[in-house]
Amino acid sequence: MSGMSESLTAFIFARGGSKGLPGKNVKLLAGKPLIGWAIEAALAVPEIGRVVVSTDDVDISRVARACGAEGPFLRPDSLASDTASELDAWRHALETLRDTEGAVPDPFISVPATAPLRKPEDIAACLECYRAGGADVVLTATEAHRNPWFNMVTAGTDGTVALVNNPDGAVTRRQDAPEVMDVTTVAYVADSRFILAGGKLFSGRVKAVTVPVERAIDIDTAHDFAIAEFLMTKRLEAEA
């Protein structure tokens, strides 16, 4: 792990082809484009001085620049499909800046646009966890409401369902089930060398920073968007 520089670069990866909620990255949420909330949160972290947006969509790039980010390149269509790997997009962004600017931002920081309810301290907590050492990747997670040892099932070909885990029935109470967490899209911090090496996310050493569930919503559908807008509006009213 290399040392922290005084001004770090954060990335936002926002493709234009969302099928769950078309145009979501530039859709207004509580009066601001969705991507604008991510840009604002990243730039509110004192160590972050630059936000670079990786997108295949010129409209997203335009809106992002208006919100204070940079759009120095467009992502190839091959890295913006439904089947494209997020890690490949991460590598492309790092490689592009390496080739065009002669340096690789390190650590790598991703602040997804789809989690607008994050706070700057959530990103800062990931940086602090990474700074402590012992991890190639730091991600965010929140307490899970379902547990594969107790109340998550999978469907069989005969129409019956069975627990995902716990086939011997040893766990009969929620309190006895092993603790599990839901990975969120609040923030990621990683060693840029690990990303460039081409491995999978969990092929390295991964640590998690816990964030409150009310800040962890990940927008994929119109229903998610409505919930996020309601919560953001309530937050803004409380802060007014």
Side-chain angles (χ1 to χ4, degrees):
M1 180 181 71
S2 62
M4 293 283 182
S5 63
E6 291 186 1
S7 182
L8 303 178
T9 297
F11 292 91
I12 296 175
F13 297 85
R15 66 187 185 90
S18 172
K19 293 182 179 178
L21 182 59
K24 70 178 177 183
N25 287 302
V26 296
K27 184 177 174 65
L28 292 181
L29 183 142
K32 184 180 300 184
L34 180 61
I35 197 169
W37 291 106
I39 294 167
E40 180 180 281
L43 291 175
V45 179
E47 292 161 297
I48 296 175
R50 180 189 192 195
V51 176
V52 172
V53 171
S54 167
T55 182
D56 61 313
D57 188 289
V58 293
D59 192 40
I60 291 175
S61 183
R62 176 187 60 79
V63 172
R65 291 195 301 271
C67 292
E70 299 177 30
F73 58 85
L74 285 177
R75 194 193 315 178
D77 291 342
S78 61
L79 296 179
S81 67
D82 289 338
T83 58
S85 164
E86 181 84 353
L87 278 172
D88 285 341
W90 290 4
R91 279 187 283 274
H92 172 263
L94 289 173
E95 290 169 347
T96 299
L97 292 193
R98 179 194 63 196
D99 295 344
T100 58
E101 301 180 359
V104 175
D106 189 52
F108 169 82
I109 304 166
S110 173
V111 183
T114 53
L117 290 158
R118 74 170 61 78
K119 290 191 174 182
E121 61 243 44
D122 299 322
I123 306 170
C126 291
L127 282 166
E128 185 64 27
C129 182
Y130 177 80
R131 184 183 290 116
D136 298 306
V137 178
V138 174
L139 49 74
T140 48
T142 191
E143 181 181 358
H145 294 289
R146 297 285 177 180
N147 191 303
W149 275 271
F150 182 72
N151 56 9
M152 290 183 68
V153 297
T154 183
T157 56
D158 62 352
T160 62
V161 297
L163 284 169
V164 174
N165 282 324
N166 190 32
D168 59 1
V171 177
T172 57
R173 301 188 311 154
R174 178 179 56 82
Q175 295 87 343
D176 297 331
E179 183 181 2
V180 296
M181 302 183 74
D182 288 330
V183 174
T184 75
T185 59
V186 169
Y188 300 84
V189 177
D191 187 326
S192 294
R193 294 167 298 182
F194 173 77
I195 301 299
L196 289 170
K200 296 181 179 180
L201 186 67
F202 284 94
S203 65
R205 299 165 298 173
V206 181
K207 290 186 177 181
V209 168
T210 303
V211 297
V213 65
E214 65 270 17
R215 301 209 294 263
I217 189 168
D218 180 27
I219 295 177
D220 189 49
T221 66
H223 177 71
D224 299 333
F225 195 95
I227 294 172
E229 184 158 46
F230 172 80
L231 293 173
M232 182 65 80
T233 300
K234 288 296 184 183
R235 176 191 290 182
L236 295 175
E237 290 173 351
E239 293 174 350

